[in-house]
Amino acid sequence: SQQGEEDPQALSIQEGENATMNCSYKTSINNLQWYRQNSGRGLVHLILIRSNEREKHSGRLRVTLDTSKKSSSLLITASRAADTASYFCATVTSGTYKYIFGTGTRLKVLA
Amino acid sequence: EAGVAQSPRYKIIEKRQSVAFWCNPISGHATLYWYQQILGQGPKLLIQFQNNGVVDDSQLPKDRFSAERLKGVDSTLKIQPAKLEDSAVYLCASSSTTGQYNEQFFGPGTRLTVL
């Protein structure tokens, strides 16, 4: 399969806790993006990190990228019930700019 | 700004029947994508258009799937004949260009059930 791998596959935490999910990929990338999917709003873009960046922040989101290990992590701080969703990483391959989505992490935030 | 529109939202068909999905991207977006998302998996790219030309269709099962984007705006994806394993959500997305640092905007998807 071309898809990247994400872990954990599922994560359940209490409101207010932090959630960390990881993405590993196989190809050389131009950038990596994280998307959220829930039944209400479909797939929504969260954040993009370029291959020459190591860390990026957006609100309660923090993304890191380690191109030598071909891996990325997404940290959601002070989680809320509304963060309950599936989270996918998507790599954009160098040269072809092809999007490859990972298998996703299902996050459940308990109120 | 209106989002990506898709129809129908749900479709149930018998195997060997044909089905078509429609997508209207965000106005002005040159790049349009069709994805297949099987339950419990991430989206898999089927075909990518830049205006009305195909950029990538390497994962499109061309013996049964076809797609077109006439006039470089809306697009249709067709399956003929459908198989049981085609049951999935079909997502359409668009982005402003095929450039490096673009985010994709997704439609609500069409959930297809093949019986």
Side-chain angles (χ1 to χ4, degrees):
Chain A
S1 169
Q2 282 190 299
Q3 289 196 320
E5 296 290 327
E6 292 182 60
D7 79 273
Q9 289 187 343
L11 180 60
S12 187
I13 59 174
Q14 295 290 327
E15 213 169 23
E17 294 181 336
N18 296 341
T20 300
M21 50 205 86
N22 305 294
C23 167
S24 60
Y25 57 91
K26 300 174 184 176
T27 61
S28 175
I29 65 170
N30 177 277
N31 69 84
L32 185 145
Q33 303 177 24
W34 285 89
Y35 287 79
R36 179 181 65 211
Q37 185 176 42
N38 58 33
S39 56
R41 293 195 60 195
L43 259 168
V44 175
H45 179 267
L46 294 176
I47 192 166
L48 180 155
I49 185 165
R50 302 182 180 196
S51 60
N52 61 354
E53 296 176 317
R54 292 296 167 258
E55 186 171 312
K56 201 159 183 183
H57 297 254
S58 177
R60 295 185 294 112
L61 305 179
R62 172 179 169 253
V63 171
T64 61
L65 179 64
D66 186 335
T67 53
S68 66
K69 295 181 179 178
K70 290 187 165 59
S71 68
S72 174
S73 67
L74 172 68
L75 168 69
I76 304 173
T77 59
S79 62
R80 305 166 182 168
D83 295 328
T84 295
S86 291
Y87 291 81
F88 295 92
C89 66
T91 53
V92 180
T93 56
S94 296
T96 61
Y97 305 131
K98 183 173 181 176
Y99 283 76
I100 301 175
F101 278 80
T103 51
T105 292
R106 294 188 307 280
L107 172 66
K108 188 169 187 178
V109 181
L110 303 169
Chain B
E1 178 183 75
V4 176
Q6 289 188 250
S7 68
R9 292 294 309 277
Y10 305 92
K11 190 74 177 178
I12 300 174
I13 62 173
E14 302 273 338
K15 61 183 179 184
R16 289 187 290 273
Q17 287 186 325
S18 62
V19 64
F21 313 124
W22 175 82
C23 171
N24 189 260
I26 291 173
S27 178
H29 278 193
T31 309
L32 185 147
Y33 312 80
W34 282 102
Y35 288 88
Q36 180 192 59
Q37 186 176 22
I38 292 171
L39 186 65
Q41 299 182 18
K44 182 182 87 170
L45 181 68
L46 293 176
I47 189 167
Q48 176 182 342
F49 292 94
Q50 174 74 8
N51 296 310
N52 59 350
V54 175
V55 175
D56 181 0
D57 64 356
S58 57
Q59 297 192 95
L60 186 75
K62 297 181 187 62
D63 57 334
R64 298 184 301 105
F65 286 64
S66 64
E68 60 182 11
R69 191 184 184 196
L70 300 175
K71 301 180 182 178
V73 182
D74 56 352
S75 175
T76 56
L77 176 70
K78 296 179 182 177
I79 307 175
Q80 183 179 11
K83 293 185 175 181
L84 296 177
E85 58 261 36
D86 297 332
S87 293
V89 175
Y90 291 85
L91 296 165
C92 179
S94 69
S95 63
S96 55
T97 70
T98 314
Q100 336 180 28
Y101 303 123
N102 284 297
E103 66 178 274
Q104 295 187 30
F105 294 84
F106 283 83
T110 296
R111 184 177 299 276
L112 173 67
T113 302
V114 182
L115 303 175

